[in-house]
Amino acid sequence: MQQKNTKERVIFNTLFLYLRMIVTIAVGLYASRIVLNVLGESDFGIFSLVGGVVVILSFLNSGMLQASQRFLSYSLGKSDFQDVCRTFWATWYAHAFLAIVIVIIGELVGLYVVNYVLSIPADRMVSANWVYQCSLFTCAVSVLSVPYNSAIIAHERMDFFAYTSILEAVLKLLIIYLLLVVSYDKLILYALLMLSIQVFVRFLYTVYCKRHFEECNSGRTYDKAVTKEILSFAGWSFLGNFGITCRDQVTNIIFNVFFQTPVINAARGIATQVSGIISTFATNITMAINPQITKNYSSGNIKESVSLVYMGCRASFYMLTLIVVPFVVNVDYVLELWLERVPENTSLFLYFILGVALVYSLSQPVTVAIQATGDIKAFQIWIFSLMVLEVCLTYIVLCITGSLVYALVPSVVVNFISVAVRMALVKKKVGAYSFRQYAFDVVFRCVMVLLISCVVAIYIHYMIGYESFVAFLGECVVLAISTIVIILLFGLKRDERLQLVSKLKMSVKRLNGRRE
């Protein structure tokens, strides 16, 4: 009964997250096109590049975000209200301190990087500094929102999370309108308006949590032991997230310095944004599953926790495949249809970044399982080392070959290695995990689904051929249906297929009964 309730809750939350995703993707795609056209390739590249300097500092926030979600979910799994209160306020004080640290470091170090390291046209330096200050304070406000955001996710209130994201998307549409009608420097205006949205969302999170969660209204207590435990966890998370941030943002700087143009950053920024939007299909499932993985582990239900991890790995990969395959075979057409003016090398970046996203999806729930144990020291050291290795290899390959294609290969190779490392570490901590089961039930099935889907997609693409938008949509529908069939035939185990068929039959009977 508990297992049934758990899976029903996961499905319920996933549906809300998909509602959020549909709206945010539609707005995100439209907004990116308009913003690129309004700002131009150079200013868009400056926004991505300068904002990336602040993102380097946000690795601190990422570490605390993981700690907050893990400890709040763990406390709720133990059903100890006092422990939940102590945990929430420990994360609150830690994030308030962290926000101050980020602003100080950003003003001392980040400004130097923006003004003396990056290749930015002289006539856009004032605007670039405005963008930097807005990005820095947007990051600080985001940090202050983490305890409330973590509480919402830990309590699995994905409906509010979805509604807030939809409202945020609507506000971004309003930003687009203002960019079109206001004659003020559009790069500065865009940065200021994005900061305003973040402040408003922070206000909504606070009000909701105080009205619905008792721990957010309890007296502000400072528990030294809980704070120390959280900071210890976050400290190691900082290391791993710093490596990931360096991988993303230092590589961005390397490309900027090596190719001496912001356009390369615009291409990479668009590719990263598209990958992030597509990856939302996978992260919606893992976001719904993650709290249950930790709660089941903390309550001693290890078997269910392991089952959820395997299910999450496959489900996230399949959902990503369902979108990536039709997109990749039509990538040039989609980019031209969407952006009109496509920065050079955008499609090349997309191929590699989406490949990395597929590889990462194989082990994302495994990371949550490692975090659930609370012992993440070895894991974070490994991740940091691998990310630094990727940056070094990218730089070395660029120096030797000067080729952008070869420079993107290390990211795929290193991410394959990281999947194996994650699984080895979780197996060492929790004996219930099995290399053999993971290799066969997750990796083998996922790779088989991807390979067959790609072969079928390429064949259908060249057989159909399209000369109109309607024909393109028809091809996407055919590719999506074929991929779903492949997932059902090769991606699911026999008992899972039978269970799915049984549920579909029951749904049809209920629908027929209502009609009668």
Side-chain angles (χ1 to χ4, degrees):
M1 186 66 180
Q2 175 65 29
Q3 182 176 355
K4 181 180 178 181
N5 291 336
T6 296
K7 291 184 176 180
E8 287 180 352
R9 190 181 301 114
V10 168
I11 293 172
F12 178 78
N13 286 327
T14 301
L15 291 175
F16 273 111
L17 291 172
Y18 273 106
L19 171 65
R20 163 184 175 264
M21 177 199 65
I22 292 170
V23 176
T24 55
I25 284 180
V27 173
L29 291 174
Y30 175 73
S32 297
R33 171 178 174 167
I34 301 301
V35 170
L36 177 61
N37 288 333
V38 172
L39 296 183
E41 291 184 5
S42 181
D43 274 6
F44 188 85
I46 290 172
F47 186 85
S48 299
L49 182 63
V50 174
V53 176
V54 176
V55 173
I56 293 178
L57 295 174
S58 70
F59 80 92
L60 298 169
N61 186 34
S62 299
M64 285 302 301
L65 174 62
Q66 293 171 2
S68 299
Q69 292 181 358
R70 185 269 173 188
F71 280 91
L72 282 171
S73 295
Y74 194 92
S75 297
L76 288 169
K78 294 192 300 181
S79 300
D80 185 342
F81 175 71
Q82 293 301 321
D83 188 54
V84 174
C85 291
R86 288 192 295 268
T87 301
F88 175 80
W89 288 111
T91 62
W92 189 91
Y93 282 112
H95 281 87
F97 175 74
L98 181 60
I100 296 172
V101 170
I102 286 178
V103 170
I104 293 174
I105 295 176
E107 296 293 357
L108 293 177
V109 179
L111 277 178
Y112 176 82
V113 174
V114 170
N115 288 280
Y116 300 103
V117 176
L118 302 182
S119 296
I120 298 174
D123 62 330
R124 301 304 291 156
M125 283 304 302
V126 173
S127 298
N129 276 277
W130 269 96
V131 169
Y132 178 75
Q133 292 297 331
C134 290
S135 299
L136 181 61
F137 283 97
T138 297
C139 179
V141 174
S142 178
V143 170
L144 294 173
S145 301
V146 168
Y148 300 98
N149 180 285
S150 299
I152 292 170
I153 294 175
H155 283 278
E156 300 178 68
R157 299 292 181 87
M158 303 306 178
D159 50 348
F160 176 78
F161 189 71
Y163 297 146
T164 305
S165 297
I166 291 172
L167 177 60
E168 185 177 350
V170 172
L171 291 175
K172 288 181 179 178
L173 287 177
L174 179 60
I175 284 180
I176 293 174
Y177 174 75
L178 291 175
L179 287 177
L180 292 172
V181 301
V182 176
S183 59
Y184 186 70
D185 188 307
K186 297 185 186 301
L187 183 58
I188 296 176
L189 179 63
Y190 183 59
L192 287 170
L193 292 174
M194 292 297 287
L195 171 59
S196 301
I197 288 179
Q198 187 62 50
V199 171
F200 181 66
V201 170
R202 161 74 170 85
F203 173 75
L204 290 181
Y205 280 156
T206 303
V207 172
Y208 180 84
C209 289
K210 286 186 174 294
R211 288 185 177 181
H212 292 84
F213 308 140
E214 293 183 40
E215 65 268 21
C216 299
N217 283 318
S218 62
R220 297 189 180 188
T221 58
Y222 176 76
D223 190 299
K224 184 177 179 179
V226 175
T227 303
K228 182 179 179 181
E229 190 177 3
I230 292 174
L231 289 177
S232 175
F233 183 98
W236 289 112
S237 293
F238 291 158
L239 180 65
N241 283 289
F242 178 65
I244 294 173
T245 303
C246 283
R247 187 267 316 268
D248 293 336
Q249 302 307 324
V250 174
T251 300
N252 208 24
I253 294 173
I254 288 174
F255 285 140
N256 174 260
V257 173
F258 195 89
F259 293 101
Q260 292 292 304
T261 173
V263 176
I264 194 75
N265 301 110
R268 191 168 186 263
I270 291 171
T272 301
Q273 184 177 13
V274 172
S275 176
I277 292 172
I278 293 176
S279 296
T280 305
F281 282 85
T283 57
N284 279 338
I285 291 180
T286 56
M287 187 180 293
I289 291 176
N290 290 351
Q292 284 296 324
I293 292 174
T294 303
K295 289 177 181 178
N296 277 283
Y297 178 84
S298 67
S299 62
N301 194 358
I302 305 299
K303 183 177 179 181
E304 176 65 10
S305 181
V306 173
S307 175
L308 286 169
V309 168
Y310 291 153
M311 182 179 76
C313 290
R314 286 190 295 140
S316 60
F317 188 92
Y318 295 156
M319 290 304 301
L320 203 54
T321 300
L322 188 63
I323 307 302
V324 166
V325 170
F327 183 85
V328 166
V329 296
N330 297 288
V331 63
D332 291 327
Y333 177 80
V334 173
L335 288 175
E336 291 176 5
L337 183 68
W338 169 37
L339 298 175
E340 294 183 351
R341 294 186 301 165
V342 183
E344 187 180 0
N345 295 312
T346 301
S347 58
L348 177 63
F349 276 117
L350 262 173
Y351 289 134
F352 281 91
I353 291 176
L354 288 175
V356 169
L358 282 167
V359 174
Y360 176 69
S361 68
L362 287 171
S363 63
Q364 189 176 2
V366 178
T367 300
V368 178
I370 295 172
Q371 293 171 343
T373 66
D375 183 8
I376 61 170
K377 178 180 178 180
F379 167 68
Q380 298 296 347
I381 291 175
W382 268 103
I383 294 302
F384 175 79
S385 302
L386 289 171
M387 297 303 99
V388 172
L389 174 64
E390 182 179 327
V391 173
C392 293
L393 289 176
T394 300
Y395 180 75
I396 291 171
V397 170
L398 273 175
C399 289
I400 294 175
T401 68
S403 169
L404 180 61
V405 176
Y406 292 133
L408 296 174
V409 172
S411 63
V412 179
V413 175
V414 170
N415 273 276
F416 268 115
I417 298 173
S418 70
V419 172
V421 169
R422 284 180 171 90
M423 194 58 206
L425 291 172
V426 77
K427 168 64 178 173
K428 183 178 180 180
K429 298 177 187 301
V430 183
Y433 287 92
S434 166
F435 280 110
R436 184 177 179 277
Q437 186 177 359
Y438 177 77
F440 183 78
D441 287 348
V442 178
V443 178
F444 177 73
R445 290 183 183 276
C446 289
V447 171
M448 181 184 297
V449 166
L450 179 63
L451 291 177
I452 297 175
S453 298
C454 287
V455 172
V456 172
I458 293 172
Y459 175 77
I460 292 175
H461 177 69
Y462 285 105
M463 284 295 293
I464 293 180
Y466 52 82
E467 297 180 356
S468 67
F469 179 70
V470 175
F472 162 70
L473 290 179
E475 180 185 325
C476 288
V477 171
V478 173
L479 292 179
I481 293 173
S482 66
T483 303
I484 291 173
V485 172
I486 292 168
I487 291 172
L488 294 175
L489 293 176
F490 301 99
L492 300 181
K493 293 183 285 188
R494 184 174 180 274
D495 60 327
E496 292 173 336
R497 281 196 297 271
L498 293 174
Q499 186 178 11
L500 180 60
V501 171
S502 176
K503 288 185 176 181
L504 289 175
K505 288 181 178 179
M506 290 179 62
S507 298
V508 172
K509 288 181 179 178
R510 289 176 183 174
L511 183 60
N512 290 333
R514 289 177 181 177
R515 289 178 177 176
E516 294 174 359

